[in-house]
Amino acid sequence: MTSIQGNIIRRYNPLTGTAIGGASASLGAISDLASCAGGNTITVQKDLPSGRLVAGNQFTLQLSGGGLASTQSATTSGAASGIQPAVVGPLLVIDGASFQINEAAAGSPATVLANYARSWQCVDAANGNAVVASGSTFPGSVSIPTAGTGSSVVCTITNAVPPRVTIRKISQGGVGPFSFTGTNGITNQTLTTTAAGTAVSGAAQTLTAAGVVTTITESAPPAGYALTAASCTGLPTGGTATPDLSARTLTLNAAATAAGANLVCTFTNTLL
């Protein structure tokens, strides 16, 4: 932001009103002050590509630094997925200003941020969406580009629901303990059936990474049992669950473990 007082051109921080530069000039030499204005802005927004892990979870966006007198914030609401209506900004800023972006838990029940896969990215929407900064630790730091051509920095904080898998066990012709192992965060667990033909479910397990081929393996079953079926429900688009009954494995392809997937995989053993 600039002003002219006599033959002095001064530049001000639009956030604080503080003078940050000045120079004298002949008024006859001034032809276009508009070309001096960069018109930089910064905006912080929230993306929930796979919705909320728990209904009622909300997020408070935070922007600080860069000459701001106090932290600017906005809190999401509702239940929609994707980019949320609540945003911080756009705020007028100066070239080279450094800001910190962050978020805080909100909502009822209060969001547990650690239960989401969190990341952030800032792009310059005025210059081909060039990436200015990105990361997965918080708070994140971003500086306004100093090209002098005017930047529109948009910072998006993304919270993705990690994929989850619940293992169910059915035993036909008898009951007993059945153990499972797996990859990509599937932990060892033993499910004990108590009534033939009635399913027993383990706790939902959060996978380590989304979009990764994952295998669930049933350990050697009690004597006389054979694995006769294995399948999953809740598969996202393109997801497959391929059983190998002789090897007692069920393999989920990468599409099956997409962010937000909530699978229930049932293994059925029959007493021969």
Side-chain angles (χ1 to χ4, degrees):
M1 183 172 66
T2 58
S3 71
I4 300 177
Q5 296 176 345
N7 66 336
I8 301 296
I9 301 175
R10 288 190 172 89
R11 190 178 182 212
Y12 295 87
N13 186 325
L15 294 175
T16 64
T18 302
I20 56 175
S24 61
S26 168
L27 292 180
I30 299 173
S31 60
D32 182 12
L33 286 178
S35 64
C36 299
N40 302 313
T41 63
I42 187 169
T43 302
V44 182
Q45 63 182 10
K46 165 64 62 184
D47 187 15
L48 300 172
S50 46
R52 292 161 170 80
L53 180 62
V54 178
N57 279 182
Q58 303 298 345
F59 307 82
T60 297
L61 303 172
Q62 299 173 333
L63 178 68
S64 60
L68 289 168
S70 61
T71 298
Q72 303 297 297
S73 64
T75 300
T76 63
S77 61
S81 59
I83 299 295
Q84 302 295 292
V87 298
V88 176
L91 300 175
L92 286 169
V93 295
I94 61 173
D95 294 357
S98 180
F99 292 88
Q100 290 73 52
I101 61 171
N102 207 349
E103 64 177 346
S108 179
T111 299
V112 179
L113 294 176
N115 289 343
Y116 289 84
R118 305 166 65 207
S119 62
W120 59 273
Q121 184 180 71
C122 298
V123 301
D124 187 351
N127 290 284
N129 285 325
V131 176
V132 178
S134 63
S136 57
T137 58
F138 290 82
S141 296
V142 58
S143 295
I144 304 302
T146 58
T149 57
S151 298
S152 178
V153 175
V154 178
C155 296
T156 303
I157 299 177
T158 300
N159 296 67
V161 176
R164 292 158 290 163
V165 174
T166 299
I167 300 174
R168 295 171 76 239
K169 164 53 60 181
I170 297 174
S171 60
Q172 302 286 9
V175 298
F178 299 84
S179 298
F180 297 88
T181 61
T183 62
N184 194 22
I186 297 289
T187 59
N188 299 349
Q189 63 177 310
T190 298
L191 303 178
T192 302
T193 58
T194 57
T198 300
V200 174
S201 296
Q205 300 194 58
T206 299
L207 299 185
T208 301
V212 173
V213 173
T214 301
T215 300
I216 306 170
T217 302
E218 182 182 77
S219 302
Y225 282 95
L227 181 65
T228 52
S231 61
C232 296
T233 59
L235 291 166
T237 301
T240 62
T242 304
D244 183 337
L245 299 182
S246 61
R248 301 185 306 277
T249 63
L250 185 61
T251 301
L252 308 174
N253 70 351
T257 62
N262 189 10
L263 309 182
V264 177
C265 297
T266 303
F267 287 71
T268 301
N269 288 67
T270 301
L271 184 60
L272 304 178

